[in-house]
Amino acid sequence: PFEYRLTELNFFSGNPFLTPQYTTNYQLSFSYKQALTGSVLYSETQDFFADILDTAKTVVTFLIPRNLDESSNLSFNVGYPITLTDWWELRADLNYTYSTYNGEFEDTVIDLEAQVYTASVSNTLKFPWGIRGDISYYYNSDFIWRGSIEVGAFSRVDGGIRKSFLEGKLRASLTFSDLFNNGSDYVYEGDYGGMMIEGVRSRDNRRFGARLSYKFGNDKVKSSRKRKTGLDEEVNRMSD
């Protein structure tokens, strides 16, 4: 199986003996006055693809995908848009998920559960001179990654402003992501067969950008004349 290095002492290794995983989903969704939306979802997965820590080969640690007996998820989510003023619109989304992971590998029992909360708030703002702005906040509580690794909570703030010129043909925008750099570091830990692992995986999620685009062409192009073909006449004849 292929292998590639994650860090100096951590590698990922493939597993040619994986079998397919099978998931059964049940979902109930609702909507109230085309504004408040929500859903309840329950899923069960057999032979779940889990990533398991292994040091049997060498002194380094290998992360290997293996089939875990089963996993389940029960989640509730709700979302609601709010118009606060004529220049400020907001949408809030909340989600709760209860997850379980169960299985056994070489006499090592995996029996994990997690209660995961996520929340997001998106704001759309209208400023003078036709300037539009967006700013959003996202929070994710502690969760279990791939059935064996516990990952700490993180959050991020994204947004930007934009304006159009020349009757909408020229558009300028400034954007940012993960403004406070709270969503770039993922703190994780795992415990498998008495082996403890802790670490931090960092990504460059904080970015700033500028964009300028121009739309060429005529927006008032006449629609092409529709020609009646023999096929159209045949279809009309058969439908009579």
Coordinates of all heavy atoms in Angstrom, one line a residue, residues 54-147:
D54 N -1.0 3.2 14.4 CA -0.3 1.9 14.5 C 1.2 2.2 14.5 O 1.8 3.0 13.7 CB -0.6 1.1 13.2 CG 0.1 -0.3 13.3 OD1 0.6 -0.7 14.3 OD2 0.2 -0.9 12.2
T55 N 1.9 1.6 15.5 CA 3.4 1.7 15.6 C 4.1 0.3 15.4 O 5.2 0.2 15.8 CB 3.8 2.3 16.9 OG1 3.3 1.5 18.0 CG2 3.3 3.7 17.0
A56 N 3.4 -0.7 14.9 CA 3.9 -2.0 14.8 C 5.1 -2.1 13.9 O 6.0 -3.0 14.0 CB 2.8 -3.0 14.5
K57 N 5.1 -1.3 12.8 CA 6.1 -1.4 11.8 C 7.5 -0.9 12.3 O 8.5 -1.6 12.2 CB 5.7 -0.7 10.5 CG 4.4 -1.3 9.9 CD 4.1 -0.6 8.6 CE 2.8 -1.1 8.0 NZ 2.5 -0.5 6.7
T58 N 7.5 0.4 12.7 CA 8.8 1.0 13.1 C 8.5 1.9 14.3 O 7.4 1.9 14.9 CB 9.3 1.9 11.9 OG1 8.4 2.9 11.6 CG2 9.6 1.0 10.7
V59 N 9.5 2.8 14.6 CA 9.3 3.7 15.7 C 8.4 4.8 15.4 O 7.9 5.5 16.2 CB 10.7 4.2 16.2 CG1 11.5 3.1 16.8 CG2 11.4 4.9 15.1
V60 N 8.1 5.1 14.1 CA 7.3 6.1 13.7 C 5.8 5.7 13.8 O 5.5 4.5 13.9 CB 7.6 6.6 12.2 CG1 9.0 7.1 12.1 CG2 7.3 5.5 11.2
T61 N 4.9 6.6 13.7 CA 3.4 6.3 13.8 C 2.8 6.3 12.5 O 3.0 7.2 11.7 CB 2.8 7.4 14.7 OG1 3.3 7.3 16.0 CG2 1.3 7.1 14.8
F62 N 2.0 5.3 12.2 CA 1.3 5.2 10.9 C -0.2 5.4 11.2 O -0.8 4.8 12.2 CB 1.5 3.9 10.2 CG 2.8 3.8 9.5 CD1 4.0 3.4 10.3 CD2 2.9 4.1 8.2 CE1 5.2 3.3 9.6 CE2 4.2 4.0 7.6 CZ 5.3 3.6 8.3
L63 N -0.9 6.2 10.4 CA -2.3 6.3 10.4 C -2.9 5.5 9.3 O -2.6 5.8 8.1 CB -2.7 7.8 10.2 CG -4.1 8.2 10.6 CD1 -4.3 8.0 12.1 CD2 -4.3 9.7 10.3
I64 N -3.6 4.4 9.6 CA -4.1 3.5 8.6 C -5.6 3.4 8.6 O -6.2 3.2 9.7 CB -3.5 2.1 8.9 CG1 -2.0 2.1 9.0 CG2 -3.9 1.0 7.9 CD1 -1.3 0.8 9.4
P65 N -6.3 3.5 7.5 CA -7.7 3.3 7.4 C -8.1 1.8 7.6 O -7.5 0.9 7.0 CB -8.1 3.8 6.0 CG -6.8 3.6 5.2 CD -5.7 3.8 6.2
R66 N -9.1 1.6 8.5 CA -9.5 0.3 8.8 C -11.0 0.3 9.0 O -11.6 1.3 9.3 CB -8.8 -0.3 10.0 CG -7.3 -0.4 9.9 CD -6.7 -1.1 11.1 NE -7.1 -2.5 11.2 CZ -6.5 -3.3 12.1 NH1 -5.6 -2.9 12.9 NH2 -6.9 -4.5 12.2
N67 N -11.7 -0.9 8.8 CA -13.1 -0.9 9.0 C -13.5 -1.1 10.5 O -13.2 -2.1 11.1 CB -13.7 -2.1 8.2 CG -13.6 -1.9 6.7 OD1 -12.8 -2.6 6.0 ND2 -14.4 -1.0 6.2
L68 N -14.2 -0.1 11.0 CA -14.7 -0.1 12.3 C -16.1 -0.7 12.2 O -16.8 -0.5 11.3 CB -14.8 1.3 12.9 CG -15.1 1.5 14.4 CD1 -14.0 0.9 15.2 CD2 -15.4 3.0 14.7
D69 N -16.5 -1.5 13.3 CA -17.7 -2.3 13.2 C -18.9 -1.4 12.9 O -19.7 -1.7 11.9 CB -18.0 -3.0 14.6 CG -17.0 -4.1 14.8 OD1 -16.3 -4.5 13.9 OD2 -16.9 -4.6 16.0
E70 N -19.1 -0.3 13.6 CA -20.3 0.5 13.3 C -20.1 1.9 13.9 O -19.3 2.2 14.8 CB -21.5 -0.1 13.9 CG -21.5 -0.2 15.4 CD -22.8 -0.9 16.0 OE1 -23.6 -1.2 15.2 OE2 -22.9 -1.0 17.2
S71 N -20.8 2.9 13.3 CA -20.9 4.2 13.9 C -22.3 4.7 13.6 O -23.0 4.2 12.8 CB -19.9 5.1 13.2 OG -20.3 5.4 11.8
S72 N -22.7 5.7 14.4 CA -24.1 6.3 14.3 C -24.0 7.8 14.5 O -23.1 8.3 15.2 CB -25.0 5.6 15.2 OG -24.7 5.9 16.6
N73 N -24.9 8.5 13.9 CA -25.1 10.0 14.1 C -26.5 10.4 14.2 O -27.4 9.9 13.4 CB -24.4 10.7 12.9 CG -22.9 10.6 12.9 OD1 -22.2 11.3 13.6 ND2 -22.4 9.7 12.0
L74 N -26.8 11.1 15.2 CA -28.1 11.7 15.4 C -28.0 13.2 15.5 O -27.2 13.8 16.3 CB -28.8 11.2 16.7 CG -30.2 11.9 17.0 CD1 -31.2 11.5 16.0 CD2 -30.6 11.4 18.4
S75 N -28.5 14.0 14.5 CA -28.3 15.4 14.4 C -29.6 16.2 14.3 O -30.6 15.7 13.7 CB -27.4 15.7 13.3 OG -28.0 15.4 12.0
F76 N -29.6 17.4 14.8 CA -30.7 18.3 14.7 C -30.1 19.7 14.2 O -29.0 20.1 14.7 CB -31.3 18.6 16.1 CG -31.8 17.3 16.8 CD1 -31.0 16.6 17.6 CD2 -33.1 16.9 16.6 CE1 -31.4 15.5 18.2 CE2 -33.6 15.8 17.2 CZ -32.7 15.0 18.1
N77 N -30.7 20.3 13.3 CA -30.3 21.6 12.9 C -31.5 22.5 12.6 O -32.5 22.0 12.2 CB -29.3 21.5 11.6 CG -30.0 21.0 10.4 OD1 -30.7 21.8 9.8 ND2 -29.9 19.8 10.0
V78 N -31.2 23.8 12.8 CA -32.3 24.8 12.5 C -31.6 26.0 12.0 O -30.5 26.4 12.4 CB -33.1 25.1 13.8 CG1 -32.1 25.6 14.9 CG2 -34.2 26.0 13.5
G79 N -32.3 26.7 11.1 CA -31.8 27.9 10.5 C -32.9 29.0 10.3 O -34.1 28.6 10.1
Y80 N -32.5 30.3 10.5 CA -33.6 31.3 10.4 C -32.9 32.6 9.9 O -31.9 33.1 10.4 CB -34.2 31.5 11.7 CG -35.4 32.4 11.7 CD1 -36.6 32.0 11.1 CD2 -35.3 33.7 12.2 CE1 -37.7 32.9 11.1 CE2 -36.4 34.6 12.2 CZ -37.6 34.1 11.6 OH -38.7 34.9 11.5
P81 N -33.5 33.2 8.8 CA -33.1 34.5 8.3 C -33.8 35.6 9.0 O -35.0 35.5 9.3 CB -33.4 34.4 6.8 CG -34.6 33.6 6.8 CD -34.5 32.6 7.9
I82 N -33.1 36.7 9.3 CA -33.7 37.8 9.9 C -33.3 39.1 9.2 O -32.2 39.3 8.9 CB -33.2 38.0 11.4 CG1 -33.5 36.6 12.2 CG2 -33.9 39.1 12.1 CD1 -32.9 36.6 13.6
T83 N -34.3 40.0 8.9 CA -34.1 41.3 8.3 C -34.1 42.3 9.5 O -35.2 42.6 10.0 CB -35.1 41.6 7.3 OG1 -35.0 40.6 6.2 CG2 -34.8 43.0 6.7
L84 N -33.0 42.7 9.9 CA -32.9 43.6 11.1 C -33.3 45.1 10.7 O -34.0 45.8 11.4 CB -31.6 43.6 11.7 CG -31.1 42.2 12.3 CD1 -29.7 42.3 12.8 CD2 -32.1 41.8 13.4
T85 N -32.7 45.5 9.6 CA -33.1 46.9 9.0 C -33.1 46.8 7.5 O -32.9 45.7 7.0 CB -32.0 47.9 9.5 OG1 -30.8 47.6 8.9 CG2 -31.8 47.9 11.0
D86 N -33.3 47.9 6.9 CA -33.3 47.8 5.4 C -31.9 47.7 4.8 O -31.7 47.6 3.6 CB -34.0 49.1 4.8 CG -33.4 50.4 5.3 OD1 -32.5 50.3 6.2 OD2 -33.8 51.4 4.8
W87 N -30.9 47.8 5.7 CA -29.5 47.7 5.2 C -28.7 46.5 5.9 O -27.5 46.3 5.6 CB -28.7 49.0 5.5 CG -28.8 49.4 6.9 CD1 -29.7 50.3 7.5 CD2 -27.8 49.1 8.0 NE1 -29.4 50.5 8.8 CE2 -28.3 49.8 9.2 CE3 -26.7 48.3 8.1 CZ2 -27.6 49.7 10.4 CZ3 -26.1 48.2 9.3 CH2 -26.5 48.9 10.4
W88 N -29.4 45.7 6.7 CA -28.8 44.6 7.5 C -29.6 43.4 7.5 O -30.7 43.4 8.0 CB -28.4 45.1 8.9 CG -27.7 44.1 9.7 CD1 -27.2 42.9 9.3 CD2 -27.3 44.3 11.1 NE1 -26.5 42.3 10.3 CE2 -26.6 43.1 11.4 CE3 -27.5 45.2 12.1 CZ2 -26.1 42.9 12.7 CZ3 -27.1 45.0 13.3 CH2 -26.3 43.9 13.7
E89 N -29.1 42.3 6.8 CA -29.8 41.0 6.8 C -28.9 40.0 7.5 O -27.7 40.0 7.3 CB -30.2 40.6 5.4 CG -31.2 41.5 4.7 CD -31.5 41.0 3.3 OE1 -30.8 40.0 2.9 OE2 -32.4 41.6 2.7
L90 N -29.5 39.1 8.2 CA -28.7 38.1 9.0 C -29.4 36.8 8.9 O -30.6 36.6 8.8 CB -28.7 38.6 10.5 CG -28.0 37.7 11.6 CD1 -27.5 38.6 12.7 CD2 -29.0 36.7 12.1
R91 N -28.5 35.7 8.9 CA -29.0 34.4 8.9 C -28.2 33.6 10.0 O -27.0 33.6 10.0 CB -28.9 33.7 7.6 CG -29.4 32.2 7.7 CD -29.3 31.5 6.3 NE -29.7 30.1 6.5 CZ -31.0 29.6 6.6 NH1 -32.0 30.5 6.4 NH2 -31.2 28.4 6.7
A92 N -28.9 32.9 10.9 CA -28.3 32.1 11.9 C -28.6 30.6 11.7 O -29.8 30.3 11.4 CB -28.8 32.5 13.3
D93 N -27.6 29.8 11.9 CA -27.8 28.3 11.8 C -27.1 27.6 13.0 O -26.0 28.0 13.3 CB -27.1 27.8 10.5 CG -27.9 28.3 9.2 OD1 -28.8 27.6 8.9 OD2 -27.4 29.3 8.7
L94 N -27.9 26.7 13.6 CA -27.4 25.9 14.7 C -27.5 24.4 14.4 O -28.5 24.0 13.8 CB -28.2 26.3 16.0 CG -28.2 27.7 16.4 CD1 -29.1 27.9 17.6 CD2 -26.8 28.1 16.9
N95 N -26.5 23.7 14.9 CA -26.5 22.2 14.6 C -26.0 21.5 15.9 O -25.0 21.9 16.5 CB -25.7 21.9 13.4 CG -25.7 20.4 13.1 OD1 -24.8 19.7 13.7 ND2 -26.6 19.9 12.3
Y96 N -26.7 20.4 16.2 CA -26.2 19.5 17.3 C -26.2 18.1 16.7 O -27.1 17.6 16.1 CB -27.2 19.6 18.5 CG -27.0 18.4 19.5 CD1 -25.9 18.5 20.4 CD2 -27.8 17.3 19.4 CE1 -25.7 17.5 21.3 CE2 -27.5 16.2 20.3 CZ -26.5 16.3 21.3 OH -26.3 15.3 22.2
T97 N -25.0 17.4 17.0 CA -24.9 16.0 16.5 C -24.3 15.2 17.7 O -23.3 15.5 18.3 CB -23.9 16.0 15.3 OG1 -24.4 16.8 14.3 CG2 -23.7 14.5 14.9
Y98 N -25.0 14.0 17.9 CA -24.5 13.0 18.8 C -23.9 11.8 18.0 O -24.7 11.2 17.2 CB -25.6 12.6 19.8 CG -25.2 11.4 20.7 CD1 -24.3 11.7 21.7 CD2 -25.6 10.1 20.5 CE1 -23.9 10.6 22.6 CE2 -25.3 9.1 21.3 CZ -24.4 9.4 22.4 OH -24.0 8.3 23.2
S99 N -22.6 11.6 18.1 CA -22.0 10.5 17.3 C -21.4 9.4 18.2 O -20.9 9.7 19.3 CB -20.8 11.1 16.5 OG -21.3 12.2 15.7
T100 N -21.5 8.2 17.8 CA -20.9 7.1 18.5 C -20.0 6.2 17.5 O -20.3 6.2 16.3 CB -21.9 6.1 19.1 OG1 -22.7 5.6 18.0 CG2 -22.9 6.9 20.0
Y101 N -19.0 5.6 18.0 CA -18.0 4.8 17.2 C -17.7 3.6 18.1 O -17.2 3.7 19.2 CB -16.8 5.6 16.9 CG -17.0 6.9 16.1 CD1 -17.2 8.1 16.8 CD2 -17.1 6.9 14.7 CE1 -17.5 9.2 16.1 CE2 -17.4 8.0 14.0 CZ -17.5 9.2 14.7 OH -17.8 10.4 14.1
N102 N -18.0 2.4 17.5 CA -17.8 1.1 18.2 C -17.1 0.1 17.4 O -17.4 -0.1 16.2 CB -19.1 0.6 18.7 CG -19.9 1.6 19.6 OD1 -20.8 2.2 19.0 ND2 -19.5 1.7 20.8
G103 N -16.1 -0.6 17.9 CA -15.4 -1.6 17.2 C -14.3 -2.2 18.1 O -14.0 -1.8 19.2
E104 N -13.5 -3.2 17.5 CA -12.4 -3.8 18.2 C -11.4 -4.3 17.2 O -11.7 -4.8 16.1 CB -13.0 -5.1 18.9 CG -11.9 -5.8 19.8 CD -12.4 -6.9 20.6 OE1 -13.7 -7.0 20.7 OE2 -11.6 -7.7 21.2
F105 N -10.1 -3.9 17.5 CA -9.0 -4.3 16.7 C -7.9 -4.9 17.6 O -7.4 -4.3 18.5 CB -8.4 -3.1 15.9 CG -9.3 -2.4 15.1 CD1 -9.8 -1.1 15.4 CD2 -9.8 -2.9 13.9 CE1 -10.7 -0.4 14.6 CE2 -10.6 -2.3 13.0 CZ -11.1 -1.0 13.4
E106 N -7.5 -6.2 17.3 CA -6.5 -6.8 18.0 C -6.7 -6.7 19.6 O -5.8 -6.2 20.3 CB -5.1 -6.3 17.6 CG -4.6 -6.8 16.3 CD -5.1 -5.8 15.2 OE1 -5.3 -4.6 15.5 OE2 -5.3 -6.2 14.0
D107 N -7.8 -7.0 20.0 CA -8.2 -6.9 21.5 C -8.2 -5.5 22.0 O -8.3 -5.3 23.2 CB -7.2 -7.8 22.3 CG -7.2 -9.2 21.9 OD1 -8.3 -9.7 21.6 OD2 -6.2 -9.9 22.0
T108 N -8.1 -4.5 21.1 CA -8.3 -3.1 21.6 C -9.7 -2.6 21.2 O -10.1 -2.7 20.1 CB -7.3 -2.2 20.9 OG1 -5.9 -2.6 21.3 CG2 -7.5 -0.7 21.3
V109 N -10.4 -2.3 22.3 CA -11.8 -1.9 22.1 C -11.9 -0.4 21.9 O -11.3 0.4 22.6 CB -12.7 -2.3 23.3 CG1 -14.1 -1.8 23.2 CG2 -12.6 -3.8 23.5
I110 N -12.7 0.0 20.8 CA -13.0 1.4 20.6 C -14.4 1.7 20.9 O -15.3 1.0 20.3 CB -12.7 1.8 19.1 CG1 -11.2 1.8 18.8 CG2 -13.2 3.2 18.8 CD1 -10.8 2.1 17.4
D111 N -14.7 2.5 21.9 CA -16.0 2.9 22.3 C -16.0 4.4 22.6 O -15.8 4.8 23.7 CB -16.4 2.0 23.5 CG -17.9 2.3 23.9 OD1 -18.6 2.9 23.1 OD2 -18.3 1.8 25.0
L112 N -16.3 5.2 21.6 CA -16.2 6.6 21.7 C -17.6 7.2 21.4 O -18.3 6.7 20.6 CB -15.2 7.2 20.8 CG -13.7 6.7 21.0 CD1 -12.8 7.3 19.9 CD2 -13.2 7.2 22.3
E113 N -17.8 8.4 22.0 CA -19.0 9.2 21.7 C -18.6 10.6 21.8 O -17.7 11.0 22.5 CB -20.1 8.8 22.7 CG -19.9 9.1 24.1 CD -21.1 8.7 25.0 OE1 -21.7 7.7 24.7 OE2 -21.3 9.5 26.0
A114 N -19.4 11.4 21.1 CA -19.1 12.9 21.1 C -20.4 13.6 20.9 O -21.3 13.2 20.1 CB -18.1 13.2 20.0
Q115 N -20.5 14.8 21.6 CA -21.6 15.7 21.3 C -21.0 17.0 20.7 O -20.2 17.7 21.3 CB -22.3 16.1 22.7 CG -22.9 14.9 23.3 CD -23.8 15.2 24.5 OE1 -24.8 15.9 24.4 NE2 -23.3 14.8 25.7
V116 N -21.4 17.2 19.5 CA -20.8 18.2 18.7 C -21.8 19.3 18.4 O -22.9 19.1 18.0 CB -20.3 17.7 17.3 CG1 -19.5 18.8 16.5 CG2 -19.3 16.5 17.6
Y117 N -21.3 20.6 18.6 CA -22.2 21.8 18.4 C -21.5 22.6 17.3 O -20.3 22.9 17.4 CB -22.4 22.6 19.6 CG -22.9 21.8 20.8 CD1 -22.1 21.1 21.7 CD2 -24.3 21.8 21.0 CE1 -22.6 20.4 22.8 CE2 -24.8 21.1 22.1 CZ -24.0 20.4 23.0 OH -24.5 19.7 24.0
T118 N -22.3 23.1 16.3 CA -21.8 24.0 15.4 C -22.8 25.2 15.3 O -24.0 25.0 15.4 CB -21.6 23.4 14.0 OG1 -22.8 23.0 13.4 CG2 -20.6 22.3 14.0
A119 N -22.2 26.4 15.1 CA -23.1 27.6 14.9 C -22.5 28.5 13.9 O -21.2 28.6 13.8 CB -23.2 28.3 16.3
S120 N -23.3 29.1 13.1 CA -22.8 30.1 12.1 C -23.8 31.3 12.0 O -25.0 31.1 12.2 CB -22.6 29.5 10.8 OG -23.9 29.0 10.2
V121 N -23.2 32.4 11.9 CA -24.0 33.7 11.7 C -23.5 34.4 10.5 O -22.3 34.7 10.4 CB -24.0 34.6 12.9 CG1 -24.8 35.8 12.7 CG2 -24.5 33.8 14.2
S122 N -24.3 34.6 9.5 CA -23.9 35.3 8.3 C -24.7 36.7 8.2 O -25.9 36.7 8.4 CB -24.2 34.5 7.0 OG -23.6 33.2 7.1
N123 N -23.9 37.7 7.9 CA -24.5 39.1 7.8 C -24.2 39.7 6.4 O -23.1 39.6 5.9 CB -23.8 40.0 8.9 CG -24.0 39.5 10.3 OD1 -25.0 39.9 10.9 ND2 -23.1 38.7 10.8
T124 N -25.3 40.2 5.9 CA -25.2 41.0 4.6 C -25.5 42.4 4.9 O -26.6 42.7 5.4 CB -26.1 40.4 3.6 OG1 -25.8 39.0 3.3 CG2 -26.0 41.2 2.3
L125 N -24.6 43.3 4.5 CA -24.8 44.7 4.9 C -24.8 45.6 3.6 O -24.0 45.3 2.6 CB -23.6 45.2 5.7 CG -23.4 44.4 7.0 CD1 -22.1 44.8 7.7 CD2 -24.6 44.5 8.0
K126 N -25.6 46.6 3.6 CA -25.7 47.5 2.5 C -25.3 48.9 2.9 O -25.9 49.5 3.8 CB -27.2 47.6 1.9 CG -27.7 46.3 1.4 CD -29.2 46.5 0.9 CE -29.7 45.1 0.4 NZ -31.1 45.3 0.0
F127 N -24.2 49.4 2.4 CA -23.6 50.7 2.7 C -23.9 51.7 1.6 O -24.4 51.4 0.5 CB -22.1 50.6 2.9 CG -21.7 49.6 4.0 CD1 -21.1 48.4 3.6 CD2 -21.8 49.9 5.3 CE1 -20.7 47.5 4.6 CE2 -21.4 49.0 6.3 CZ -20.9 47.8 5.9
P128 N -23.7 53.0 1.9 CA -23.9 54.0 0.9 C -23.0 53.8 -0.3 O -22.1 53.1 -0.3 CB -23.6 55.3 1.6 CG -23.8 55.0 3.1 CD -23.4 53.6 3.2
W129 N -23.4 54.5 -1.4 CA -22.7 54.5 -2.7 C -22.6 53.1 -3.3 O -21.7 52.7 -4.0 CB -21.2 55.0 -2.5 CG -21.2 56.3 -1.8 CD1 -21.6 57.5 -2.4 CD2 -20.7 56.6 -0.5 NE1 -21.5 58.5 -1.5 CE2 -20.9 58.0 -0.3 CE3 -20.1 55.9 0.5 CZ2 -20.5 58.7 0.8 CZ3 -19.7 56.5 1.6 CH2 -19.9 57.9 1.8
G130 N -23.6 52.2 -3.0 CA -23.7 50.9 -3.6 C -22.7 49.9 -3.1 O -22.5 48.9 -3.8
I131 N -22.1 50.1 -2.0 CA -21.1 49.2 -1.4 C -21.9 48.1 -0.7 O -22.8 48.4 0.1 CB -20.1 49.9 -0.5 CG1 -19.3 51.0 -1.3 CG2 -19.2 48.9 0.1 CD1 -18.4 51.8 -0.5
R132 N -21.5 46.9 -0.9 CA -22.1 45.7 -0.2 C -21.0 45.0 0.6 O -19.8 45.0 0.2 CB -22.7 44.7 -1.2 CG -23.8 45.3 -2.0 CD -25.1 45.6 -1.1 NE -26.2 46.1 -1.9 CZ -26.5 47.4 -2.1 NH1 -25.7 48.3 -1.6 NH2 -27.5 47.7 -2.8
G133 N -21.4 44.6 1.8 CA -20.5 43.9 2.7 C -21.0 42.6 3.2 O -22.2 42.4 3.3
D134 N -20.1 41.6 3.5 CA -20.5 40.3 4.1 C -19.5 40.0 5.2 O -18.3 40.2 5.1 CB -20.5 39.2 3.1 CG -21.4 39.5 1.9 OD1 -22.6 39.3 2.1 OD2 -20.9 39.8 0.8
I135 N -20.1 39.5 6.3 CA -19.2 39.1 7.4 C -19.9 37.9 8.1 O -21.1 37.9 8.3 CB -18.9 40.2 8.4 CG1 -17.9 39.7 9.5 CG2 -20.2 40.7 9.1 CD1 -17.3 40.8 10.3
S136 N -19.1 36.8 8.4 CA -19.7 35.6 8.9 C -18.8 35.1 10.0 O -17.6 35.3 10.0 CB -19.9 34.5 7.9 OG -18.7 34.1 7.3
Y137 N -19.5 34.4 11.0 CA -18.8 33.8 12.1 C -19.2 32.3 12.1 O -20.3 32.0 12.0 CB -19.1 34.4 13.4 CG -18.6 33.7 14.6 CD1 -17.2 33.9 15.0 CD2 -19.4 32.9 15.4 CE1 -16.7 33.2 16.1 CE2 -18.9 32.2 16.5 CZ -17.5 32.4 16.9 OH -17.0 31.7 17.9
Y138 N -18.2 31.4 12.3 CA -18.4 30.0 12.4 C -17.7 29.4 13.6 O -16.6 29.7 13.9 CB -18.0 29.3 11.1 CG -18.1 27.8 11.2 CD1 -19.3 27.2 10.9 CD2 -17.0 26.9 11.5 CE1 -19.5 25.8 11.0 CE2 -17.2 25.6 11.5 CZ -18.4 25.0 11.3 OH -18.6 23.6 11.3
Y139 N -18.4 28.5 14.4 CA -17.9 27.9 15.6 C -18.1 26.4 15.5 O -19.2 26.0 15.1 CB -18.4 28.4 16.8 CG -18.0 27.6 18.1 CD1 -16.8 27.8 18.7 CD2 -18.9 26.7 18.6 CE1 -16.4 27.1 19.8 CE2 -18.5 25.9 19.7 CZ -17.2 26.1 20.3 OH -16.9 25.4 21.4
N140 N -17.1 25.6 15.8 CA -17.2 24.1 15.8 C -16.6 23.6 17.1 O -15.5 23.9 17.4 CB -16.4 23.5 14.6 CG -16.9 22.1 14.3 OD1 -17.3 21.8 13.2 ND2 -16.8 21.2 15.2
S141 N -17.4 22.9 17.9 CA -16.9 22.4 19.2 C -16.1 21.2 19.0 O -15.8 20.7 17.8 CB -18.1 22.0 20.1 OG -18.8 20.9 19.6
D142 N -15.5 20.6 20.1 CA -14.7 19.4 20.0 C -15.5 18.3 19.2 O -16.7 18.1 19.4 CB -14.4 18.9 21.4 CG -13.6 19.9 22.2 OD1 -13.2 20.9 21.6 OD2 -13.4 19.6 23.4
F143 N -14.7 17.5 18.4 CA -15.4 16.4 17.6 C -14.4 15.3 17.5 O -13.2 15.4 17.8 CB -15.9 17.0 16.3 CG -14.8 17.4 15.3 CD1 -14.3 16.6 14.4 CD2 -14.2 18.7 15.4 CE1 -13.3 17.0 13.5 CE2 -13.2 19.1 14.6 CZ -12.7 18.3 13.6
I144 N -14.9 14.2 17.0 CA -14.1 13.0 16.7 C -13.9 12.8 15.2 O -14.9 12.8 14.5 CB -14.7 11.7 17.3 CG1 -14.8 11.8 18.8 CG2 -13.9 10.5 16.9 CD1 -15.5 10.6 19.5
W145 N -12.6 12.8 14.8 CA -12.3 12.7 13.4 C -12.0 11.2 13.0 O -11.2 10.6 13.6 CB -11.1 13.5 13.1 CG -10.7 13.5 11.6 CD1 -11.3 14.1 10.6 CD2 -9.6 12.8 11.1 NE1 -10.6 13.9 9.4 CE2 -9.5 13.0 9.7 CE3 -8.6 12.0 11.7 CZ2 -8.6 12.5 8.9 CZ3 -7.6 11.4 10.8 CH2 -7.6 11.7 9.4
R146 N -12.8 10.7 12.1 CA -12.6 9.4 11.5 C -12.6 8.3 12.6 O -11.8 7.3 12.5 CB -11.3 9.3 10.7 CG -11.3 10.3 9.5 CD -12.4 10.0 8.5 NE -12.2 8.7 7.9 CZ -11.6 8.5 6.7 NH1 -11.0 9.6 6.1 NH2 -11.5 7.3 6.2
G147 N -13.4 8.4 13.6 CA -13.6 7.4 14.5 C -12.6 7.1 15.6 O -12.8 6.2 16.5

